Amino acid sequence: MAERTYSEQEAVRALADLPAWRAERGVITRTFETDGWSTTLMLVNAIGFIAEAADHHPDLEVSWPRVVVRLSTHSAGGITDKDVALAREIERLALW
């Protein structure tokens, strides 16, 4: 059975307590600014660890001063509970 996907309005409401995340076109996105390459790599590895543990894998765009995280459930064709849950975990970990 396919997972239910969020409408864009539902996604916005689900992210209300995560103001740095935005929902658009079936994806939720957050950009983390870092102080340099070593911090960028540590953040990418931390995100990779929790994503692997959740068996749910974001698209990452990695550069010297930032990491862009994009979440959607490809098998469902949009944003699902899995994406919002992983966004919460990424936010908790990155800001710890």
Side-chain angles (χ1 to χ4, degrees):
M1 179 180 210
E3 292 182 72
R4 187 185 78 76
T5 58
Y6 290 26
S7 69
E8 194 162 320
Q9 294 81 12
E10 289 171 321
V12 168
R13 281 193 299 274
L15 298 171
D17 61 337
L18 297 171
W21 290 82
R22 64 185 189 281
E24 51 190 22
R25 291 174 283 186
V27 178
I28 58 176
T29 305
R30 163 103 153 80
T31 300
F32 292 93
E33 300 293 333
T34 71
D35 61 359
W37 187 242
S38 62
T39 304
T40 295
L41 289 178
M42 285 187 281
L43 178 58
V44 166
N45 283 319
I47 291 170
F49 179 81
I50 61 172
E52 188 64 23
D55 193 29
H56 192 57
H57 306 100
D59 293 324
L60 301 176
E61 182 181 316
V62 180
S63 62
W64 180 82
R66 77 182 50 86
V67 178
V68 179
V69 181
R70 292 183 185 89
L71 292 165
S72 69
T73 303
H74 302 293
S75 61
I79 301 165
T80 68
D81 290 336
K82 284 183 176 182
D83 303 301
V84 174
L86 187 53
R88 288 184 196 294
E89 285 302 307
I90 291 170
E91 191 74 7
R92 183 185 63 77
L93 178 75
L95 298 180
W96 175 52

